[in-house]
Amino acid sequence: MSRFANDGKTFQSIFEELHQNPELSLHEYETTKRIKNWLQGQSVTLRETSLPTGVFAEISGDLNGPAVGLRADIDALPIHEQTDLPYQSQNEGVMHACGHDFHTTALLWAAALLKQNQLDLPGTVRLIFQPAEETGHGGLKVVKDGQLKGLDAVVGIHNKPDLPVGTIGIKAGPLMAACDKFKITFNGIGGHAAIPERTRDPIVAASSFVQTAQTIVSRNISPKHEAVVSITSIHGGDVWNVLPGKVELLGTVRTFYDQDRDLIIDRFAAIADGLQQAFNVQIAVEWGQGTPSVFNEEKIARIIREANENEVRVVTPEVSVAGDDFSCFQREVPGVFAFVGSNGPEDWHHPAYRVTLKGSALPQNSIIALRLPF
Ligand code: NI
């Protein structure tokens, strides 16, 4: 296995070290130090940043060419690890349960390969080790820090347990969902359960909202577009003989197209407005806008796909209703996010989650990184 030139570490050992030392979003201080040390050992030029965590670096070739960003996320999750790996997390209650240790290792490997081939490199590759993907805050911080300025394209990967090792999934268009959340408050007038005419019952209004909201996707969104509205919490009342004055609903909306997202927000407002009239209660909709959908640029997706087809098995993946704030980068620079097969059986964020490194998963990640649209 390839080794880092400076300290002889294998990429397997780097991966294990990262896995053993997971850190939560915006607290990736030790991870940041490790990445910096490894890159500096390879004489890779670091970029200035105002962010306390995350690492940004650049490798420029002698030949003219585009500037392409490669992104790996570096944070872990508040999960107690339940694998039998010999290199389990040593940070109690924190775990790399989404394989960001794998992404980080793959990008370090790409850095080493790019550095070795620097003279033949047409253009510039910027290495983006992004903090805080799991909380959805890091991507935007990186954009605001100016780390995408001057790039012509940006490429990222995520491991995918339902694809076998040795497979990558690339598609143009939507890949991962926009993830929004909402809170809806129904304010009525509580009172005696047997004297409803003196109340304004928020329970009936909330029940009606739950039913009506489930018609938004089925009656307003094209059947060719995926979208989900889920109401996940409903709270109101404490006892059997008193009508409450207030009911709260919580839930989430997942969409892949901006126009669907906007339409659902509009429909929520319209339904709330109508039910206010119908039930004579006050309804407040609070929208928690999350990250937009991961939406791959067609031309870059095609170029990367064609460049990789002779090296690995390339498939067209199904869309994922999970989100990734790589989408914030794609709003700044044309970009493509690809899935890399990592063998299940557990899915992302499971306490027994593990990325399979057997075979040639890591080199292939690096190949993806290297076969850019030059
Ligand atoms: Ni992830």
Side-chain angles (χ1 to χ4, degrees):
M1 184 173 273
S2 298
R3 289 170 186 276
F4 250 4
N6 54 321
D7 59 6
K9 271 191 178 153
T10 65
F11 288 94
Q12 175 71 36
S13 69
I14 285 174
F15 170 73
E16 292 178 8
E17 187 173 329
L18 289 166
H19 190 86
Q20 276 184 318
N21 296 281
E23 292 175 294
L24 293 175
S25 308
L26 300 180
H27 293 84
E28 310 95 335
Y29 296 105
E30 294 302 317
T31 307
T32 294
K33 268 190 219 161
R34 284 189 166 86
I35 295 168
K36 275 187 184 167
N37 284 340
W38 287 324
L39 289 175
Q40 283 171 330
Q42 298 285 106
S43 305
V44 174
T45 309
L46 298 183
R47 280 171 59 87
E48 294 275 312
T49 176
S50 63
L51 301 179
T53 59
V55 182
F56 310 95
E58 206 158 81
I59 299 171
S60 289
D62 286 348
L63 307 172
N64 281 338
V68 176
L70 298 183
R71 178 267 208 170
D73 40 15
I74 65 172
D75 56 331
L77 287 155
I79 290 175
H80 178 75
E81 181 163 350
Q82 291 175 30
T83 69
D84 54 3
L85 293 170
Y87 49 90
Q88 274 183 25
S89 168
Q90 293 176 350
N91 190 356
E92 179 62 34
V94 183
M95 178 190 176
H96 269 298
C98 200
H100 296 185
D101 44 358
F102 174 64
H103 307 159
T104 304
T105 309
L107 190 50
L108 285 164
W109 193 324
L113 291 175
L114 286 162
K115 197 68 194 166
Q116 283 164 22
N117 295 286
Q118 189 168 9
L119 292 180
D120 302 324
L121 181 66
T124 295
V125 174
R126 192 172 298 164
L127 309 162
I128 301 166
F129 294 87
Q130 183 208 303
E133 187 283 323
E134 295 294 359
T135 54
H137 295 117
L140 209 51
K141 285 183 189 292
V142 170
V143 171
K144 286 184 176 161
D145 194 46
Q147 300 297 344
L148 271 77
K149 280 208 180 111
L151 290 182
D152 298 301
V154 63
V155 179
I157 56 164
H158 206 292
N159 67 91
K160 194 75 166 55
D162 59 358
L163 293 178
V165 166
T167 304
I168 62 170
I170 301 180
K171 75 185 282 287
L175 183 72
M176 298 182 79
C179 302
D180 299 324
K181 59 184 177 181
F182 58 81
K183 176 181 172 184
I184 304 174
T185 309
F186 299 77
N187 283 305
I189 297 174
H192 199 295
I195 315 172
E197 72 276 20
R198 290 196 197 158
T199 71
R200 290 184 191 165
D201 184 358
I203 287 186
V204 177
S207 307
S208 213
F209 190 95
V210 172
Q211 297 284 336
T212 313
Q214 288 309 331
T215 68
I216 297 175
V217 172
S218 70
R219 301 297 87 186
N220 296 273
I221 305 282
S222 163
K224 293 174 191 158
H225 287 192
E226 289 95 343
V228 182
V229 172
S230 282
I231 289 163
T232 55
S233 165
I234 176 162
H235 278 285
D238 298 306
V239 289
W240 66 275
N241 56 357
V242 179
L243 289 166
K246 185 166 117 175
V247 172
E248 282 182 352
L249 302 183
L250 300 176
T252 184
V253 169
R254 306 291 163 106
T255 49
F256 293 90
Y257 293 87
D258 286 351
Q259 66 265 35
D260 295 341
R261 190 188 203 188
D262 293 343
L263 184 143
I264 290 174
I265 294 171
D266 286 350
R267 290 304 301 154
F268 264 58
I271 292 168
D273 201 38
L275 293 179
Q276 282 194 141
Q277 302 290 323
F279 294 101
N280 204 12
V281 295
Q282 295 296 314
I283 305 177
V285 179
E286 292 170 63
W287 198 261
Q289 186 122 327
T291 51
S293 66
V294 172
F295 204 94
N296 287 337
E297 207 274 337
E298 198 173 335
K299 186 175 161 213
I300 301 172
R302 191 180 67 245
I303 293 169
I304 294 180
R305 191 183 171 105
E306 285 171 3
N308 279 280
E309 270 169 347
N310 293 331
E311 308 289 337
V312 289
R313 186 168 160 257
V314 178
V315 297
T316 302
E318 286 184 19
V319 297
S320 165
V321 283
D324 193 296
D325 71 359
F326 181 77
S327 56
C328 298
F329 294 2
Q330 291 177 308
R331 300 294 161 126
E332 298 294 313
V333 173
V336 165
F337 202 51
F339 288 143
V340 176
S342 58
N343 285 10
E346 311 301 350
D347 214 334
W348 297 326
H349 299 199
H350 191 283
Y353 189 71
R354 59 194 294 173
V355 172
T356 300
L357 292 182
K358 269 187 216 149
S360 47
L362 272 176
Q364 280 167 1
N365 267 285
S366 305
I367 286 166
I368 291 168
L370 278 172
R371 292 187 181 280
L372 297 167
F374 292 135

